[in-house]
Amino acid sequence: CNNILGNSDVFYSNPSMLLEKEGNFNDENGNGLADVGVTITYTLKVINTGDVALSDIVVSDPLLGGNLKMTPSGDDNNNALLDIDEVWIYTVSYKVTKEDIKNKGVYNLADVQGKNSTTGEDVTKVSSLDPDPLQPGMPGYDPNRPNHTFVPLKGKSLLITNPMIRQRVR
């Protein structure tokens, strides 16, 4: 392929990537409710959607402690490059807090950045997308956080009764 100047050694690449993020509530104690300390498992998938391998991949998630330090699965040839059409998967656990339960769920957003492995230039930082996003009218939908991954949490509810009122039990 020749460029305008006639130099056939110049390659014009289109580096790009996608970050998908899903969260699943783990009911470790089996009571169907969110309790402090139970976990949410987040799965983050970095997908090379461009036409050049990417290097220096950094996935950052403030809720999960900042830059993720673990080695992802999916580096098929173990070359530390996110090759064309390759998918790297990070799996991280998050412990539910009292505030999360009070808020009836957890909103979360991550981002990924990297470099063009050929030129060393930075690739545009990309924010995460939920592959199954909430739609308007759905419980937990927040128009100010359309791309956030939302994991709903069901907490204990308080039942107040009056002992002076007779209630028939079925």
Side-chain angles (χ1 to χ4, degrees):
C1 174
N2 290 332
N3 66 16
I4 294 173
L5 301 175
N7 182 349
S8 62
D9 295 334
V10 177
F11 175 72
Y12 294 101
S13 62
N14 181 27
S16 64
M17 59 187 148
L18 177 68
L19 176 59
E20 290 184 352
K21 181 176 188 177
E22 293 182 89
N24 291 302
F25 172 70
N26 304 309
D27 186 14
E28 284 101 345
N29 61 14
N31 69 359
L33 302 173
D35 297 302
V36 173
V38 297
T39 61
I40 295 171
T41 299
Y42 286 102
T43 304
L44 298 97
K45 294 179 182 179
V46 182
I47 305 163
N48 185 336
T49 57
D51 61 5
V52 64
L54 305 174
S55 64
D56 302 317
I57 301 298
V58 177
V59 176
S60 181
D61 189 324
L63 184 73
L64 302 177
N67 292 347
L68 303 185
K69 304 290 185 202
M70 81 265 313
T71 302
S73 63
D75 188 4
D76 297 333
N77 56 7
N78 295 314
N79 66 353
L81 296 176
L82 182 62
D83 294 311
I84 299 168
D85 295 325
E86 199 168 61
V87 178
W88 287 4
I89 300 173
Y90 298 80
T91 304
V92 187
S93 285
Y94 169 76
K95 288 189 177 185
V96 171
T97 67
K98 186 177 183 179
E99 191 69 18
D100 297 331
I101 297 167
K102 180 180 158 196
N103 292 333
K104 298 182 181 179
V106 179
Y107 291 92
N108 195 2
L109 190 66
D111 59 49
V112 63
Q113 55 191 15
K115 294 185 182 290
N116 179 324
S117 67
T118 306
T119 65
E121 294 176 7
D122 288 337
V123 176
T124 303
K125 184 189 293 189
V126 176
S127 292
S128 61
L129 298 171
D130 190 317
D132 189 22
L134 294 177
Q135 302 298 322
M138 293 175 79
Y141 176 77
D142 183 342
N144 297 319
R145 300 186 258 200
N147 295 326
H148 284 67
T149 298
F150 178 71
V151 177
L153 299 175
K154 183 178 177 185
K156 297 174 184 157
S157 59
L158 182 60
L159 174 63
I160 300 173
T161 61
N162 183 341
M164 303 313 257
I165 298 175
R166 275 191 86 173
Q167 297 178 343
R168 180 176 290 161
V169 178
R170 292 182 190 204

